[in-house]
Amino acid sequence: MSKIRSEVAEQFLTSVLGFTKASHLTFHKEVNGEIVKVTGILANPNGNYAFDTLDGTEEVNLIEIDVPTYTDYILELILSSIAISITKEFSWIIDDDHGLN
């Protein structure tokens, strides 16, 4: 399980993908008129995580993208592009079940 430093995630999300830092490991960006939120998380090998706060988290191995309630084809393409950019940058994979199972 590959982990990255929180500052590396922050640098990539803000400088390359154009997100704005909302708080430690939480970022947002307006995409096609909707606010998209991404969060860097440290998960265990089963993909489970639990936290009260992200303060003090120094490494992450999961970036969660919150999909807005309203989506259309264009927004889905942009979200896919964001996810693919993250996976390529950090040599990660996209969860096949999209966190639904």
Side-chain angles (χ1 to χ4, degrees):
M1 183 179 323
S2 175
K3 297 177 188 172
I4 58 169
R5 303 278 310 157
S6 59
E7 60 267 12
V8 172
E10 178 179 331
Q11 172 67 22
F12 180 75
L13 291 168
T14 58
S15 296
V16 176
L17 296 181
F19 281 84
T20 301
K21 183 176 178 177
S23 62
H24 184 63
L25 293 173
T26 303
F27 306 86
H28 59 82
K29 175 180 179 176
E30 184 175 329
V31 178
N32 200 35
E34 299 291 324
I35 300 297
V36 173
K37 177 182 162 189
V38 298
T39 306
I41 298 168
L42 181 60
N44 70 16
N46 296 325
N48 300 322
Y49 57 91
F51 54 85
D52 294 324
T53 178
L54 293 169
D55 294 338
T57 302
E58 296 181 9
E59 294 181 321
V60 297
N61 57 2
L62 173 71
I63 294 181
E64 181 177 74
I65 302 172
D66 291 343
V67 177
T69 302
Y70 171 78
T71 60
D72 59 15
Y73 180 72
I74 294 170
L75 183 58
E76 288 176 11
L77 286 176
I78 295 168
L79 292 174
S80 292
S81 175
I82 291 168
I84 290 167
S85 295
I86 292 168
T87 61
K88 285 183 178 181
E89 178 69 16
F90 302 120
S91 299
W92 288 353
I93 60 170
I94 296 174
D95 183 7
D96 287 337
D97 69 7
H98 309 289
L100 299 175
N101 292 322

